[in-house]
Amino acid sequence: GENVEQHPSTLSVQEGDSAVIKCTYSDSASNYFPWYKQELGKRPQLIIDIRSNVGEKKDQRIAVTLNKTAKHFSLHITETQPEDSAVYFCAAVEGSYIPTFGRGTSLIVHP
Amino acid sequence: SAVISQKPSRDICQRGTSLTIQCQVDSQVTMMFWYRQQPGQSLTLIATANQGSEATYESGFVIDKFPISRPNLTFSTLTVSNMSPEDSSIYLCSVARETHYGYTFGSGTRLTVV
């Protein structure tokens, strides 16, 4: 089955800096890669996603890049703000439509 | 995206008892999943709820402990049976429309077994 590795487990940045979270996946059949943000005590919320026929997708301050050859994808957050502090999960989905989640990255943005 | 109502939001239960968690979606969805999330941990898939047939369980989860029902395309229940303190966790349902992915999560049920 699919295996998703996510790094780092914790990321601490100053407000205004950029943050990058990286994930690798094992199953070349995976074709959909969502990213979720989970604030403390709340449900995971989809923030951005990318499909395998696209190399990059951007939505305001967040972007996701995908390298199918290397089987890795990354979340980029620019101009970080304290409200970006949360746990971020990546996931990979293949033909069964069942997502495999990474272990999560705790992002801390210091004012 | 789909709107999910998950109940109860939290409960404190005695060991040996059972709790049924409900997940109601405002529209028909193809896929419904049940997850467990320990504090500070990732999402662990318990099972895929199949409409009109038995759920598909992941390794380490069995039907006798986590019976699941899905009578239609908008509703599912997860029962945590014969609970022990090790079952204390957050349980989440998640749904997706097959052709659009876009997995959405319910608000979760925080279960404490004493």
Side-chain angles (χ1 to χ4, degrees), chain B residues 92-111:
Chain B
L92 297 127
C93 66
S94 177
V95 304
R97 292 186 178 84
E98 189 173 87
T99 57
H100 296 93
Y101 299 104
Y103 303 86
T104 305
F105 285 87
S107 54
T109 297
R110 182 179 295 271
L111 171 61

Side-chain angles (χ1 to χ4, degrees), chain B residues 33-92:
Chain B
F33 307 99
W34 287 98
Y35 287 89
R36 184 170 72 183
Q37 187 176 34
Q38 305 281 18
Q41 302 295 315
S42 186
L43 298 148
T44 300
L45 181 65
I46 297 171
T48 302
N50 300 310
Q51 192 261 329
S53 65
E54 191 174 289
T56 305
Y57 290 85
E58 297 299 303
S59 177
F61 298 96
V62 295
I63 188 171
D64 290 345
K65 177 67 176 177
F66 298 100
I68 289 170
S69 78
R70 189 177 174 193
N72 55 52
L73 293 177
T74 63
F75 185 77
S76 179
T77 66
L78 167 74
T79 299
V80 186
S81 303
N82 188 25
M83 288 184 286
S84 67
E86 292 70 37
D87 295 319
S88 297
S89 189
I90 297 171
Y91 293 85
L92 297 127

